[in-house]
Amino acid sequence: ARDFPEVFGFLKETQPTWQEYVKAKFYEPQVLIFGSRLDRLVSDHRRGFFHEIAGHDVHRALYQSHQVPVHFANEYSDWVDPGDFKLVFVSGEVLPKESADRIIAYAKAGGKVVLVGEAGRLSPGASPPEDYLPSQLRDLPNVRSLPGLKNGTLEDGVPTFDPSSISQLLSWA
């Protein structure tokens, strides 16, 4: 522990470095993970409340295991525009119709979408709710599918995707 006068000296010495850090241009992620809070409330994986969001595992895998800088959004992030990203990963079996429609509009406008696992298998509010998102995107050339995550190694436990699949998708985007 430092004495109080030493702390002031440290702050004075490091101030130029902090100023440089604060002024630096931030690297904006070009990949969006679109997850679902609703998924963990009503899907087969339900936890019974709102704390766990489908897609966090995908976010963690891409960022930690594959070092891909990503942004995260869900059905309550209406201020996030998928059009600001080169690639959108969709995660969560249950995705409300309004959210599915945002992804569909992005894909039909030429945006590149990756459906992870059973993404969008059920869309409450759609008629019929089963297979709404995948059926709307099925024939688009700018939509791909990716199997679910693999378990991580015993050392870190971080889930991963097949590295070659991620490399191919990023090159495609």
Side-chain angles (χ1 to χ4, degrees), residues 1-59:
R2 296 178 185 220
D3 291 331
F4 202 57
E6 288 180 40
V7 171
F8 285 128
F10 174 77
L11 291 174
K12 185 177 179 181
E13 290 172 22
T14 60
Q15 184 179 16
T17 303
W18 284 109
Q19 287 176 330
E20 183 179 334
Y21 173 77
V22 169
K23 290 178 184 177
K25 183 172 171 45
F26 180 73
Y27 178 77
E28 292 290 335
Q30 296 180 9
V31 175
L32 174 67
I33 308 300
F34 199 95
S36 173
R37 282 184 180 253
L38 183 61
D39 179 76
R40 299 305 166 137
L41 280 171
V42 299
S43 74
D44 294 340
H45 309 292
R46 63 183 163 263
R47 303 285 191 250
F49 58 25
F50 234 35
H51 87 288
E52 190 172 325
I53 303 172
H56 274 180
D57 52 353
V58 175
H59 182 275

Short mmCIF file of all heavy atoms in Angstrom, two decimals, residues 1-59:
data_model
loop_
_atom_site.label_atom_id
_atom_site.label_comp_id
_atom_site.label_asym_id
_atom_site.label_seq_id
_atom_site.Cartn_x
_atom_site.Cartn_y
_atom_site.Cartn_z
N ALA A 1 0.84 -1.18 0.00
CA ALA A 1 0.00 0.00 0.00
C ALA A 1 0.88 1.24 0.00
O ALA A 1 1.92 1.27 0.64
CB ALA A 1 -0.91 -0.01 1.21
N ARG A 2 0.44 2.24 -0.72
CA ARG A 2 1.18 3.50 -0.79
C ARG A 2 0.61 4.49 0.21
O ARG A 2 -0.58 4.49 0.49
CB ARG A 2 1.08 4.09 -2.18
CG ARG A 2 1.71 3.25 -3.24
CD ARG A 2 1.52 3.90 -4.59
NE ARG A 2 2.04 3.00 -5.62
CZ ARG A 2 2.72 3.41 -6.66
NH1 ARG A 2 2.96 4.67 -6.86
NH2 ARG A 2 3.16 2.55 -7.54
N ASP A 3 1.48 5.35 0.69
CA ASP A 3 1.01 6.46 1.52
C ASP A 3 0.29 7.44 0.61
O ASP A 3 0.55 7.53 -0.59
CB ASP A 3 2.18 7.15 2.23
CG ASP A 3 2.80 6.24 3.30
OD1 ASP A 3 2.06 5.40 3.85
OD2 ASP A 3 4.01 6.38 3.55
N PHE A 4 -0.57 8.24 1.20
CA PHE A 4 -1.38 9.17 0.44
C PHE A 4 -0.54 10.12 -0.43
O PHE A 4 -0.85 10.28 -1.62
CB PHE A 4 -2.30 9.94 1.39
CG PHE A 4 -3.51 10.52 0.72
CD1 PHE A 4 -4.39 9.71 0.03
CD2 PHE A 4 -3.75 11.88 0.77
CE1 PHE A 4 -5.49 10.23 -0.60
CE2 PHE A 4 -4.85 12.41 0.15
CZ PHE A 4 -5.74 11.59 -0.54
N PRO A 5 0.53 10.73 0.07
CA PRO A 5 1.34 11.60 -0.80
C PRO A 5 1.95 10.85 -1.99
O PRO A 5 2.10 11.41 -3.07
CB PRO A 5 2.44 12.13 0.13
CG PRO A 5 1.86 12.04 1.50
CD PRO A 5 0.97 10.82 1.46
N GLU A 6 2.27 9.58 -1.82
CA GLU A 6 2.82 8.79 -2.93
C GLU A 6 1.78 8.59 -4.03
O GLU A 6 2.12 8.52 -5.21
CB GLU A 6 3.30 7.44 -2.42
CG GLU A 6 4.56 7.49 -1.59
CD GLU A 6 4.97 6.09 -1.14
OE1 GLU A 6 4.85 5.15 -1.94
OE2 GLU A 6 5.38 5.98 0.02
N VAL A 7 0.52 8.46 -3.65
CA VAL A 7 -0.55 8.28 -4.63
C VAL A 7 -0.63 9.50 -5.53
O VAL A 7 -0.77 9.38 -6.75
CB VAL A 7 -1.90 8.01 -3.91
CG1 VAL A 7 -3.05 8.04 -4.91
CG2 VAL A 7 -1.86 6.68 -3.19
N PHE A 8 -0.55 10.70 -4.95
CA PHE A 8 -0.59 11.91 -5.76
C PHE A 8 0.58 11.95 -6.74
O PHE A 8 0.42 12.34 -7.90
CB PHE A 8 -0.60 13.16 -4.88
CG PHE A 8 -1.92 13.43 -4.22
CD1 PHE A 8 -1.98 13.64 -2.86
CD2 PHE A 8 -3.10 13.45 -4.95
CE1 PHE A 8 -3.20 13.87 -2.23
CE2 PHE A 8 -4.31 13.69 -4.35
CZ PHE A 8 -4.37 13.90 -2.98
N GLY A 9 1.75 11.55 -6.29
CA GLY A 9 2.91 11.50 -7.17
C GLY A 9 2.71 10.52 -8.32
O GLY A 9 3.04 10.81 -9.47
N PHE A 10 2.14 9.36 -8.00
CA PHE A 10 1.86 8.36 -9.02
C PHE A 10 0.88 8.91 -10.06
O PHE A 10 1.07 8.75 -11.26
CB PHE A 10 1.30 7.08 -8.37
CG PHE A 10 0.85 6.05 -9.35
CD1 PHE A 10 1.77 5.26 -10.02
CD2 PHE A 10 -0.50 5.87 -9.62
CE1 PHE A 10 1.36 4.31 -10.94
CE2 PHE A 10 -0.92 4.92 -10.53
CZ PHE A 10 0.02 4.14 -11.20
N LEU A 11 -0.18 9.56 -9.59
CA LEU A 11 -1.16 10.12 -10.51
C LEU A 11 -0.53 11.18 -11.41
O LEU A 11 -0.81 11.23 -12.61
CB LEU A 11 -2.34 10.72 -9.73
CG LEU A 11 -3.24 9.71 -9.03
CD1 LEU A 11 -4.27 10.43 -8.17
CD2 LEU A 11 -3.93 8.80 -10.03
N LYS A 12 0.32 12.01 -10.85
CA LYS A 12 0.98 13.04 -11.63
C LYS A 12 1.90 12.43 -12.69
O LYS A 12 1.92 12.87 -13.85
CB LYS A 12 1.79 13.96 -10.71
CG LYS A 12 2.42 15.13 -11.43
CD LYS A 12 3.15 16.04 -10.46
CE LYS A 12 3.80 17.18 -11.24
NZ LYS A 12 4.52 18.08 -10.36
N GLU A 13 2.63 11.39 -12.31
CA GLU A 13 3.54 10.73 -13.24
C GLU A 13 2.81 10.03 -14.38
O GLU A 13 3.28 9.99 -15.51
CB GLU A 13 4.38 9.69 -12.50
CG GLU A 13 5.42 10.25 -11.56
CD GLU A 13 6.06 9.14 -10.73
OE1 GLU A 13 6.02 7.96 -11.15
OE2 GLU A 13 6.58 9.46 -9.65
N THR A 14 1.66 9.46 -14.08
CA THR A 14 0.96 8.65 -15.09
C THR A 14 -0.10 9.43 -15.85
O THR A 14 -0.70 8.89 -16.78
CB THR A 14 0.30 7.43 -14.43
OG1 THR A 14 -0.64 7.86 -13.44
CG2 THR A 14 1.35 6.52 -13.80
N GLN A 15 -0.35 10.68 -15.52
CA GLN A 15 -1.39 11.46 -16.18
C GLN A 15 -1.22 11.51 -17.71
O GLN A 15 -2.20 11.32 -18.44
CB GLN A 15 -1.46 12.86 -15.61
CG GLN A 15 -2.61 13.65 -16.21
CD GLN A 15 -2.72 15.05 -15.65
OE1 GLN A 15 -1.78 15.55 -15.03
NE2 GLN A 15 -3.86 15.67 -15.86
N PRO A 16 -0.03 11.73 -18.25
CA PRO A 16 0.09 11.75 -19.72
C PRO A 16 -0.34 10.43 -20.37
O PRO A 16 -0.97 10.41 -21.43
CB PRO A 16 1.58 12.01 -19.96
CG PRO A 16 2.05 12.70 -18.72
CD PRO A 16 1.23 12.10 -17.61
N THR A 17 -0.03 9.32 -19.73
CA THR A 17 -0.42 8.02 -20.27
C THR A 17 -1.94 7.88 -20.26
O THR A 17 -2.55 7.41 -21.23
CB THR A 17 0.23 6.88 -19.45
OG1 THR A 17 1.64 7.06 -19.47
CG2 THR A 17 -0.15 5.53 -20.02
N TRP A 18 -2.57 8.28 -19.18
CA TRP A 18 -4.04 8.20 -19.10
C TRP A 18 -4.69 9.12 -20.12
O TRP A 18 -5.69 8.76 -20.74
CB TRP A 18 -4.52 8.55 -17.68
CG TRP A 18 -4.30 7.42 -16.74
CD1 TRP A 18 -3.39 7.35 -15.73
CD2 TRP A 18 -4.99 6.17 -16.74
NE1 TRP A 18 -3.46 6.13 -15.11
CE2 TRP A 18 -4.45 5.38 -15.71
CE3 TRP A 18 -6.00 5.62 -17.52
CZ2 TRP A 18 -4.88 4.11 -15.42
CZ3 TRP A 18 -6.44 4.34 -17.22
CH2 TRP A 18 -5.87 3.60 -16.19
N GLN A 19 -4.14 10.31 -20.32
CA GLN A 19 -4.69 11.22 -21.33
C GLN A 19 -4.61 10.61 -22.72
O GLN A 19 -5.54 10.70 -23.51
CB GLN A 19 -3.96 12.56 -21.28
CG GLN A 19 -4.32 13.39 -20.07
CD GLN A 19 -3.52 14.67 -19.98
OE1 GLN A 19 -2.38 14.73 -20.44
NE2 GLN A 19 -4.11 15.67 -19.38
N GLU A 20 -3.49 9.98 -23.03
CA GLU A 20 -3.33 9.31 -24.32
C GLU A 20 -4.35 8.18 -24.47
O GLU A 20 -4.96 8.01 -25.53
CB GLU A 20 -1.91 8.76 -24.43
CG GLU A 20 -1.59 8.12 -25.75
CD GLU A 20 -0.17 7.61 -25.82
OE1 GLU A 20 0.71 8.13 -25.11
OE2 GLU A 20 0.05 6.65 -26.58
N TYR A 21 -4.55 7.43 -23.40
CA TYR A 21 -5.50 6.32 -23.43
C TYR A 21 -6.93 6.82 -23.67
O TYR A 21 -7.66 6.28 -24.50
CB TYR A 21 -5.42 5.56 -22.10
CG TYR A 21 -6.47 4.49 -21.93
CD1 TYR A 21 -6.35 3.27 -22.58
CD2 TYR A 21 -7.59 4.70 -21.13
CE1 TYR A 21 -7.32 2.28 -22.44
CE2 TYR A 21 -8.56 3.72 -20.98
CZ TYR A 21 -8.42 2.52 -21.64
OH TYR A 21 -9.38 1.56 -21.50
N VAL A 22 -7.31 7.88 -22.98
CA VAL A 22 -8.67 8.41 -23.10
C VAL A 22 -8.91 9.00 -24.49
O VAL A 22 -10.00 8.89 -25.04
CB VAL A 22 -8.92 9.47 -21.99
CG1 VAL A 22 -10.21 10.23 -22.24
CG2 VAL A 22 -8.95 8.79 -20.63
N LYS A 23 -7.89 9.59 -25.11
CA LYS A 23 -8.04 10.21 -26.42
C LYS A 23 -7.97 9.21 -27.57
O LYS A 23 -8.30 9.54 -28.71
CB LYS A 23 -6.96 11.27 -26.62
CG LYS A 23 -7.13 12.49 -25.76
CD LYS A 23 -5.99 13.46 -25.98
CE LYS A 23 -6.09 14.64 -25.05
NZ LYS A 23 -4.95 15.54 -25.24
N ALA A 24 -7.54 8.00 -27.30
CA ALA A 24 -7.35 7.00 -28.35
C ALA A 24 -8.66 6.67 -29.04
O ALA A 24 -9.73 6.69 -28.43
CB ALA A 24 -6.73 5.73 -27.77
N LYS A 25 -8.59 6.35 -30.31
CA LYS A 25 -9.76 5.95 -31.07
C LYS A 25 -10.14 4.53 -30.65
O LYS A 25 -9.32 3.63 -30.66
CB LYS A 25 -9.46 6.01 -32.56
CG LYS A 25 -10.65 5.67 -33.43
CD LYS A 25 -10.32 5.94 -34.88
CE LYS A 25 -11.34 5.45 -35.87
NZ LYS A 25 -12.72 5.67 -35.61
N PHE A 26 -11.40 4.36 -30.34
CA PHE A 26 -11.90 3.06 -29.91
C PHE A 26 -12.14 2.19 -31.13
O PHE A 26 -12.66 2.65 -32.15
CB PHE A 26 -13.19 3.24 -29.11
CG PHE A 26 -13.79 1.97 -28.62
CD1 PHE A 26 -13.21 1.27 -27.58
CD2 PHE A 26 -14.93 1.45 -29.22
CE1 PHE A 26 -13.76 0.09 -27.12
CE2 PHE A 26 -15.48 0.26 -28.76
CZ PHE A 26 -14.90 -0.41 -27.71
N TYR A 27 -11.77 0.93 -31.03
CA TYR A 27 -12.00 -0.02 -32.11
C TYR A 27 -13.44 -0.51 -32.03
O TYR A 27 -13.84 -1.13 -31.05
CB TYR A 27 -11.04 -1.20 -32.01
CG TYR A 27 -11.27 -2.24 -33.06
CD1 TYR A 27 -10.85 -2.05 -34.37
CD2 TYR A 27 -11.95 -3.42 -32.77
CE1 TYR A 27 -11.08 -2.99 -35.35
CE2 TYR A 27 -12.18 -4.37 -33.75
CZ TYR A 27 -11.76 -4.14 -35.04
OH TYR A 27 -11.99 -5.08 -36.01
N GLU A 28 -14.24 -0.20 -33.03
CA GLU A 28 -15.64 -0.63 -33.05
C GLU A 28 -15.75 -2.06 -33.55
O GLU A 28 -15.24 -2.37 -34.63
CB GLU A 28 -16.46 0.29 -33.95
CG GLU A 28 -16.60 1.70 -33.43
CD GLU A 28 -17.49 1.80 -32.21
OE1 GLU A 28 -18.36 0.94 -32.01
OE2 GLU A 28 -17.29 2.75 -31.44
N PRO A 29 -16.40 -2.93 -32.78
CA PRO A 29 -16.60 -4.31 -33.26
C PRO A 29 -17.41 -4.34 -34.55
O PRO A 29 -18.29 -3.50 -34.76
CB PRO A 29 -17.38 -4.97 -32.12
CG PRO A 29 -17.18 -4.11 -30.94
CD PRO A 29 -16.97 -2.72 -31.46
N GLN A 30 -17.11 -5.29 -35.41
CA GLN A 30 -17.83 -5.44 -36.66
C GLN A 30 -18.72 -6.68 -36.66
O GLN A 30 -19.34 -7.01 -37.65
CB GLN A 30 -16.83 -5.50 -37.81
CG GLN A 30 -16.05 -4.21 -37.94
CD GLN A 30 -15.06 -4.27 -39.08
OE1 GLN A 30 -15.04 -5.18 -39.89
NE2 GLN A 30 -14.23 -3.26 -39.15
N VAL A 31 -18.77 -7.34 -35.50
CA VAL A 31 -19.59 -8.54 -35.34
C VAL A 31 -20.58 -8.30 -34.21
O VAL A 31 -20.21 -7.82 -33.14
CB VAL A 31 -18.71 -9.77 -35.02
CG1 VAL A 31 -19.57 -11.00 -34.75
CG2 VAL A 31 -17.74 -10.05 -36.17
N LEU A 32 -21.84 -8.63 -34.45
CA LEU A 32 -22.89 -8.51 -33.44
C LEU A 32 -23.39 -9.89 -33.05
O LEU A 32 -23.63 -10.74 -33.91
CB LEU A 32 -24.07 -7.70 -34.00
CG LEU A 32 -25.32 -7.60 -33.12
CD1 LEU A 32 -25.02 -6.80 -31.85
CD2 LEU A 32 -26.47 -6.96 -33.89
N ILE A 33 -23.51 -10.11 -31.75
CA ILE A 33 -24.18 -11.30 -31.24
C ILE A 33 -25.58 -10.85 -30.84
O ILE A 33 -25.73 -9.97 -30.00
CB ILE A 33 -23.48 -11.88 -30.00
CG1 ILE A 33 -21.99 -12.10 -30.23
CG2 ILE A 33 -24.18 -13.16 -29.54
CD1 ILE A 33 -21.65 -13.02 -31.33
N PHE A 34 -26.61 -11.42 -31.46
CA PHE A 34 -27.99 -11.08 -31.12
C PHE A 34 -28.56 -12.24 -30.32
O PHE A 34 -28.82 -13.30 -30.87
CB PHE A 34 -28.83 -10.80 -32.37
CG PHE A 34 -30.07 -10.03 -32.07
CD1 PHE A 34 -30.08 -8.65 -32.21
CD2 PHE A 34 -31.21 -10.66 -31.61
CE1 PHE A 34 -31.22 -7.92 -31.91
CE2 PHE A 34 -32.36 -9.95 -31.32
CZ PHE A 34 -32.36 -8.57 -31.47
N GLY A 35 -28.71 -12.05 -29.02
CA GLY A 35 -29.20 -13.09 -28.13
C GLY A 35 -30.65 -12.86 -27.73
O GLY A 35 -31.33 -12.00 -28.27
N SER A 36 -31.10 -13.63 -26.74
CA SER A 36 -32.50 -13.53 -26.31
C SER A 36 -32.64 -13.78 -24.81
O SER A 36 -32.22 -14.81 -24.31
CB SER A 36 -33.34 -14.56 -27.07
OG SER A 36 -34.65 -14.59 -26.56
N ARG A 37 -33.25 -12.81 -24.14
CA ARG A 37 -33.59 -13.02 -22.72
C ARG A 37 -34.77 -13.97 -22.61
O ARG A 37 -34.82 -14.81 -21.74
CB ARG A 37 -33.96 -11.69 -22.05
CG ARG A 37 -32.79 -10.84 -21.70
CD ARG A 37 -33.28 -9.60 -20.95
NE ARG A 37 -32.17 -8.77 -20.60
CZ ARG A 37 -31.69 -8.65 -19.37
NH1 ARG A 37 -32.24 -9.30 -18.38
NH2 ARG A 37 -30.67 -7.86 -19.13
N LEU A 38 -35.72 -13.81 -23.51
CA LEU A 38 -36.92 -14.64 -23.48
C LEU A 38 -36.57 -16.12 -23.57
O LEU A 38 -37.21 -16.96 -22.93
CB LEU A 38 -37.86 -14.25 -24.62
CG LEU A 38 -39.19 -14.98 -24.68
CD1 LEU A 38 -40.01 -14.73 -23.42
CD2 LEU A 38 -39.97 -14.54 -25.92
N ASP A 39 -35.55 -16.44 -24.33
CA ASP A 39 -35.15 -17.84 -24.53
C ASP A 39 -34.95 -18.55 -23.20
O ASP A 39 -35.41 -19.66 -23.01
CB ASP A 39 -33.88 -17.91 -25.36
CG ASP A 39 -33.41 -19.34 -25.57
OD1 ASP A 39 -34.03 -20.04 -26.40
OD2 ASP A 39 -32.46 -19.76 -24.89
N ARG A 40 -34.24 -17.93 -22.28
CA ARG A 40 -33.93 -18.59 -21.00
C ARG A 40 -35.10 -18.59 -20.04
O ARG A 40 -35.03 -19.21 -18.99
CB ARG A 40 -32.70 -17.95 -20.36
CG ARG A 40 -31.46 -18.06 -21.23
CD ARG A 40 -31.17 -19.51 -21.62
NE ARG A 40 -30.19 -19.53 -22.70
CZ ARG A 40 -29.18 -20.35 -22.75
NH1 ARG A 40 -28.99 -21.25 -21.84
NH2 ARG A 40 -28.34 -20.29 -23.75
N LEU A 41 -36.18 -17.91 -20.39
CA LEU A 41 -37.39 -17.96 -19.57
C LEU A 41 -38.33 -19.08 -19.99
O LEU A 41 -38.98 -19.69 -19.15
CB LEU A 41 -38.15 -16.63 -19.66
CG LEU A 41 -37.62 -15.50 -18.81
CD1 LEU A 41 -38.32 -14.20 -19.18
CD2 LEU A 41 -37.82 -15.81 -17.35
N VAL A 42 -38.40 -19.33 -21.30
CA VAL A 42 -39.44 -20.25 -21.77
C VAL A 42 -38.94 -21.45 -22.57
O VAL A 42 -39.72 -22.35 -22.86
CB VAL A 42 -40.50 -19.50 -22.61
CG1 VAL A 42 -41.19 -18.45 -21.78
CG2 VAL A 42 -39.89 -18.88 -23.85
N SER A 43 -37.66 -21.50 -22.93
CA SER A 43 -37.18 -22.64 -23.73
C SER A 43 -36.92 -23.85 -22.84
O SER A 43 -37.08 -23.81 -21.63
CB SER A 43 -35.90 -22.26 -24.48
OG SER A 43 -34.82 -22.20 -23.57
N ASP A 44 -36.46 -24.90 -23.47
CA ASP A 44 -36.12 -26.12 -22.73
C ASP A 44 -34.98 -25.89 -21.75
O ASP A 44 -34.79 -26.66 -20.83
CB ASP A 44 -35.72 -27.23 -23.70
CG ASP A 44 -36.88 -27.69 -24.56
OD1 ASP A 44 -38.04 -27.45 -24.17
OD2 ASP A 44 -36.63 -28.28 -25.62
N HIS A 45 -34.20 -24.82 -21.97
CA HIS A 45 -33.06 -24.51 -21.11
C HIS A 45 -33.44 -23.53 -20.01
O HIS A 45 -32.58 -22.96 -19.39
CB HIS A 45 -31.93 -23.89 -21.93
CG HIS A 45 -31.58 -24.69 -23.13
ND1 HIS A 45 -30.99 -25.92 -23.05
CD2 HIS A 45 -31.76 -24.44 -24.45
CE1 HIS A 45 -30.80 -26.40 -24.28
NE2 HIS A 45 -31.27 -25.52 -25.13
N ARG A 46 -34.73 -23.32 -19.80
CA ARG A 46 -35.16 -22.23 -18.92
C ARG A 46 -34.56 -22.32 -17.53
O ARG A 46 -34.37 -23.39 -16.98
CB ARG A 46 -36.68 -22.16 -18.85
CG ARG A 46 -37.35 -23.36 -18.26
CD ARG A 46 -38.87 -23.18 -18.31
NE ARG A 46 -39.54 -24.43 -18.13
CZ ARG A 46 -39.99 -25.20 -19.10
NH1 ARG A 46 -39.84 -24.82 -20.34
NH2 ARG A 46 -40.59 -26.33 -18.84
N ARG A 47 -34.25 -21.17 -17.04
CA ARG A 47 -33.67 -21.04 -15.71
C ARG A 47 -34.69 -20.46 -14.73
O ARG A 47 -34.44 -20.38 -13.56
CB ARG A 47 -32.45 -20.11 -15.75
CG ARG A 47 -31.39 -20.54 -16.71
CD ARG A 47 -30.62 -21.74 -16.16
NE ARG A 47 -29.43 -21.99 -16.95
CZ ARG A 47 -29.29 -23.04 -17.74
NH1 ARG A 47 -30.24 -23.93 -17.86
NH2 ARG A 47 -28.19 -23.20 -18.42
N GLY A 48 -35.82 -19.97 -15.25
CA GLY A 48 -36.88 -19.48 -14.39
C GLY A 48 -36.88 -18.00 -14.16
O GLY A 48 -37.80 -17.46 -13.60
N PHE A 49 -35.85 -17.30 -14.58
CA PHE A 49 -35.89 -15.84 -14.52
C PHE A 49 -34.96 -15.22 -15.52
O PHE A 49 -34.37 -15.90 -16.33
CB PHE A 49 -35.68 -15.30 -13.11
CG PHE A 49 -34.40 -15.67 -12.41
CD1 PHE A 49 -33.25 -16.03 -13.10
CD2 PHE A 49 -34.34 -15.64 -11.04
CE1 PHE A 49 -32.09 -16.32 -12.44
CE2 PHE A 49 -33.17 -15.95 -10.37
CZ PHE A 49 -32.05 -16.28 -11.06
N PHE A 50 -34.83 -13.90 -15.43
CA PHE A 50 -34.30 -13.07 -16.50
C PHE A 50 -32.80 -12.85 -16.48
O PHE A 50 -32.31 -12.04 -17.22
CB PHE A 50 -34.99 -11.72 -16.35
CG PHE A 50 -35.67 -11.23 -17.57
CD1 PHE A 50 -36.31 -12.09 -18.44
CD2 PHE A 50 -35.69 -9.88 -17.85
CE1 PHE A 50 -36.95 -11.62 -19.57
CE2 PHE A 50 -36.32 -9.40 -18.96
CZ PHE A 50 -36.96 -10.28 -19.82
N HIS A 51 -32.06 -13.49 -15.61
CA HIS A 51 -30.64 -13.13 -15.48
C HIS A 51 -29.75 -13.72 -16.56
O HIS A 51 -28.72 -13.16 -16.90
CB HIS A 51 -30.10 -13.52 -14.10
CG HIS A 51 -29.59 -14.92 -14.04
ND1 HIS A 51 -30.43 -16.00 -14.06
CD2 HIS A 51 -28.34 -15.41 -13.98
CE1 HIS A 51 -29.70 -17.11 -14.01
NE2 HIS A 51 -28.43 -16.78 -13.95
N GLU A 52 -30.11 -14.85 -17.10
CA GLU A 52 -29.24 -15.50 -18.08
C GLU A 52 -29.79 -15.28 -19.48
O GLU A 52 -30.95 -15.57 -19.76
CB GLU A 52 -29.15 -16.99 -17.79
CG GLU A 52 -28.08 -17.65 -18.61
CD GLU A 52 -27.84 -19.07 -18.19
OE1 GLU A 52 -27.94 -19.38 -17.00
OE2 GLU A 52 -27.57 -19.87 -19.08
N ILE A 53 -28.98 -14.76 -20.36
CA ILE A 53 -29.41 -14.40 -21.70
C ILE A 53 -28.79 -15.36 -22.71
O ILE A 53 -27.57 -15.56 -22.71
CB ILE A 53 -28.99 -12.95 -22.03
CG1 ILE A 53 -29.55 -11.99 -20.99
CG2 ILE A 53 -29.42 -12.56 -23.43
CD1 ILE A 53 -29.02 -10.59 -21.12
N ALA A 54 -29.61 -15.93 -23.56
CA ALA A 54 -29.08 -16.77 -24.63
C ALA A 54 -28.17 -15.91 -25.50
O ALA A 54 -28.52 -14.80 -25.87
CB ALA A 54 -30.21 -17.35 -25.47
N GLY A 55 -27.01 -16.41 -25.80
CA GLY A 55 -26.05 -15.69 -26.61
C GLY A 55 -24.79 -15.31 -25.84
O GLY A 55 -23.76 -15.04 -26.44
N HIS A 56 -24.87 -15.27 -24.51
CA HIS A 56 -23.67 -14.96 -23.73
C HIS A 56 -22.58 -16.00 -23.97
O HIS A 56 -21.40 -15.68 -24.01
CB HIS A 56 -23.98 -14.86 -22.24
CG HIS A 56 -24.45 -13.50 -21.86
ND1 HIS A 56 -24.79 -13.17 -20.59
CD2 HIS A 56 -24.63 -12.37 -22.57
CE1 HIS A 56 -25.15 -11.92 -20.53
NE2 HIS A 56 -25.08 -11.41 -21.73
N ASP A 57 -22.99 -17.26 -24.13
CA ASP A 57 -22.00 -18.30 -24.40
C ASP A 57 -21.33 -18.08 -25.76
O ASP A 57 -20.12 -18.27 -25.90
CB ASP A 57 -22.64 -19.69 -24.31
CG ASP A 57 -23.90 -19.84 -25.14
OD1 ASP A 57 -24.39 -18.82 -25.71
OD2 ASP A 57 -24.42 -20.96 -25.24
N VAL A 58 -22.09 -17.63 -26.74
CA VAL A 58 -21.53 -17.35 -28.06
C VAL A 58 -20.58 -16.15 -27.97
O VAL A 58 -19.49 -16.17 -28.53
CB VAL A 58 -22.66 -17.08 -29.08
CG1 VAL A 58 -22.10 -16.67 -30.43
CG2 VAL A 58 -23.54 -18.31 -29.22
N HIS A 59 -21.00 -15.13 -27.24
CA HIS A 59 -20.17 -13.95 -27.03
C HIS A 59 -18.84 -14.35 -26.39
O HIS A 59 -17.76 -13.97 -26.85
CB HIS A 59 -20.92 -12.96 -26.14
CG HIS A 59 -20.19 -11.69 -25.88
ND1 HIS A 59 -19.26 -11.56 -24.87
CD2 HIS A 59 -20.25 -10.49 -26.49
CE1 HIS A 59 -18.79 -10.33 -24.88
NE2 HIS A 59 -19.37 -9.66 -25.85
#
